[in-house]
Amino acid sequence: MAEPARAVADLIVDRLRAWRVPRVFGYPGEAVAAIVTAIERAGGDPGFVRVRHEETAGFMATGHAKFTGGVGVCLANHGPGAVRLLPGLYDAKLDGQPVVAIVGEQARSPLGGAYQQGIEPTRLFADACGQFLRVARTAEQVPILIDRAIRVASATRSPTCVVVPDILQLAAVPDPFPAQGGSSAMAPGLPPARVVPHGSDLNAAAHVIGAGQRVAILVGQGAAGAASEILELADRVDAGVAASLLGKPVLDERLPFHTGVLGHAGGAASAQLMAGCDTLVLIGTNNPWTDFYPLPGEANAVQIDIDGRKLATRYPVSVPLVGDAAETLRALLPLVPNRQNRQWRDLVEGTVDRAREEAIARTDEPGEPVNPRRVLYELSARMPADGSVTVDVGSVTYWYARHLQLPVGARAQVCGTLAAVGTALPYAVAAKLAAPDRPVIALTGDGAMQVDGLAELVTIADRWHQWPDPRLVVLVLNNRDRAGREGPGWGAGDGRRGSATGALPLPDVPYAGWARLLGLHGVRVDRPELVGAAWDEALAADRPTVLEAVVDPAVRLDPPELPFAHLRGAPAGGAGPGDRRWRDQRLREHAIEELS
């Protein structure tokens, strides 16, 4: 069947262009061939990023949304291609990112007719894209469905999906396409609103914060852009500040009262801050590691979030505030009394000093051949101020959380809530395409690299010549071990992870050599004294680089329960709810004693 001069597929591209979608991530296939051809006819507006696997298309769309704040768009064929989009869409759903999936459908046989690769897309995407999921049946529907999908994704910060049968994509349409009543496309754009809580709620929140003696602030990704307001609040009440894993880039981690990341990937200082506080302010965070929050009832809490559905889901909240973080804090600050408690701040800063000294000391511990902590620590001093960091899931997440200090202005993203392995490379491609004049560093392990990363290096090799700044460094921590080595206490509080999973050996792949085969640069380092020089070489290369660090699999992750329990005088063994309550009470008493 000859393709018409203008088809429904062109209407889809028109709407994407009207919404200023810069690029579509996808993999061509029979059920979306007409859309891919229409994108090519559009001359690069929007661009089409051909990936090696539909799963990475979904992750790239989510990575685009995370790094730019805009809507990520991905495209997938019917059948298995559509199935492979799901991980990326769930990543968008769980981390609250706007993503639109456009999925082709074979309409040559009735649904349910057991046709080859036949699936029911509305059932497949019903949960991931629950805010908006529609199947187009007429040409007149298509523009408004694309508009609504983008608008709903933006408004709800969630993934949406439009399914378009392949035959419909090829249907001829007049040029220009007429607007017909309710079927006409909507005006593109979603102007941001100013969302601020009511004055009575702000007063109630100010009263709770002002009454606190030991205030802790936990910031998440929703606090981005509110750094100055957070610091002013912290100084007004001498609060200590911790960050969720997704909130790590929000504040300068070199601040003397910044305790670092909270949770299993974090350190003891943040756990101690939470256990010692009597007032908790949650700003733009839905941190799932509730084991590290104060025990319910031990702290009064105020929570600020633009999405009211996330309020009080992790901790009992005395005053919930629906609003943008920066706007809400600006309205709140004049109401909070200037009630400084230097003793509490000194206690927090002392804890931070000890934690940082210990972290540096642990990077100097020997490894066979290299201590992985050292690799991330050496990057801190070399991290470009305008750089972006993408972090995979695995032991590298721990070393990133504890040993990489991000400079002010650097951006960083991780697959936080879904915690899917193999996301650092897709995120890095999305970040680089969004800002090709800025360096990008992807942090991954060998297990994650073998999931999708080796294939997506082909995508990087295909595109890097177009980038004004060619620096895209992929760090691979090669420890030949799929399982993280977990220290004692890892399972404290959940009862599900009480012992290490043991060694799961991986094939020893020549990652740096594979990069060189693709025309990229490759550096392999297996001596600790050469780690810094390896980073210098990778960051100075004239093309993307794979930095392969051969690291010791025996270096344990050691979540913070051990130093935490030691400080509180708790026995090393045992981690039941009663033990934790006793330890928390001991630390709280310790804090009060030092303040009295």
Side-chain angles (χ1 to χ4, degrees), residues 415-427:
C415 180
T417 311
L418 182 64
V421 173
T423 53
L425 259 291
Y427 279 16

Side-chain angles (χ1 to χ4, degrees), residues 420-572:
V421 173
T423 53
L425 259 291
Y427 279 16
V429 172
K432 192 65 180 181
L433 292 174
D437 57 340
R438 297 178 64 167
V440 175
I441 299 172
L443 309 176
T444 186
D446 51 353
M449 194 67 181
Q450 291 183 25
V451 171
D452 287 321
L454 290 172
E456 289 309 322
L457 283 179
V458 176
T459 304
I460 295 171
D462 180 55
R463 290 185 167 266
W464 75 267
H465 298 277
Q466 306 167 20
W467 301 335
D469 184 336
R471 290 177 294 172
L472 193 163
V473 180
V474 180
L475 169 69
V476 181
L477 295 180
N478 183 2
N479 66 2
R480 294 81 62 203
D481 186 6
R482 180 63 179 83
R485 303 306 181 92
E486 299 146 0
W490 164 249
D494 63 19
R496 297 188 298 271
R497 305 177 182 174
S499 62
T501 55
L504 298 174
L506 286 170
D508 191 7
V509 174
Y511 302 99
W514 170 237
R516 289 191 289 268
L517 284 174
L518 292 173
L520 308 176
H521 189 48
V523 181
R524 188 176 190 269
V525 60
D526 57 5
R527 292 168 57 186
E529 68 272 19
L530 296 181
V531 170
W535 274 117
D536 291 336
E537 180 180 345
L539 289 167
D542 64 352
R543 62 194 61 206
T545 301
V546 171
L547 172 54
E548 178 186 353
V550 184
V551 297
D552 191 343
V555 177
R556 291 181 175 271
L557 303 182
D558 286 338
E561 268 77 7
L562 262 186
F564 198 16
H566 178 72
L567 174 67
R568 300 174 185 186

Side-chain angles (χ1 to χ4, degrees), residues 16-17 20-26 39 44-50 60-61 64-65 68 71-75 100 429-436 463 466-467:
L16 296 178
R17 186 186 296 114
R20 298 181 180 178
V21 172
R23 62 193 60 87
V24 177
F25 304 94
I39 293 174
D45 182 18
F48 181 67
V49 181
R50 177 172 179 158
M60 284 182 191
H64 174 88
T68 69
V71 177
V73 178
C74 51
L75 180 70
V100 173
V429 172
K432 192 65 180 181
L433 292 174
R463 290 185 167 266
Q466 306 167 20
W467 301 335

Side-chain angles (χ1 to χ4, degrees), residues 192-199 201-203 205-206 209 222-234 236 281 283 302 304 306 321-337:
R194 182 174 184 266
V195 182
V196 181
H198 290 292
D201 296 321
L202 291 168
N203 281 317
I209 297 170
S228 60
E229 291 82 4
I230 294 169
L231 294 179
E232 185 176 346
L233 176 63
R236 188 174 289 266
V281 183
I283 305 175
V302 172
I304 301 170
I306 192 69
L321 299 175
V322 177
D324 172 77
E327 291 277 2
T328 300
L329 286 170
R330 289 187 203 117
L332 177 64
L333 281 167
L335 306 175
V336 177

Side-chain angles (χ1 to χ4, degrees), residues 342-432:
R342 191 63 218 182
Q343 289 178 295
W344 168 242
R345 174 67 70 83
D346 287 343
L347 182 63
V348 172
E349 292 182 0
T351 302
V352 171
D353 289 341
R354 291 189 294 273
R356 289 176 181 171
E357 290 171 0
E358 180 183 356
I360 293 173
R362 300 198 76 178
T363 67
D364 287 329
E365 294 173 355
E368 294 296 333
V370 176
N371 182 341
R373 299 185 181 99
R374 188 77 196 177
V375 181
L376 275 297
Y377 176 73
E378 290 285 355
L379 173 60
S380 290
R382 297 169 171 84
M383 181 67 207
D386 62 342
S388 297
V389 178
T390 67
V391 189
D392 225 305
V393 173
S395 61
V396 70
T397 314
Y398 286 73
W399 315 138
Y400 158 75
R402 301 177 189 181
H403 299 292
L404 177 60
Q405 280 196 337
L406 297 171
V408 176
R411 302 176 300 174
Q413 292 292 345
V414 61
C415 180
T417 311
L418 182 64
V421 173
T423 53
L425 259 291
Y427 279 16
V429 172
K432 192 65 180 181

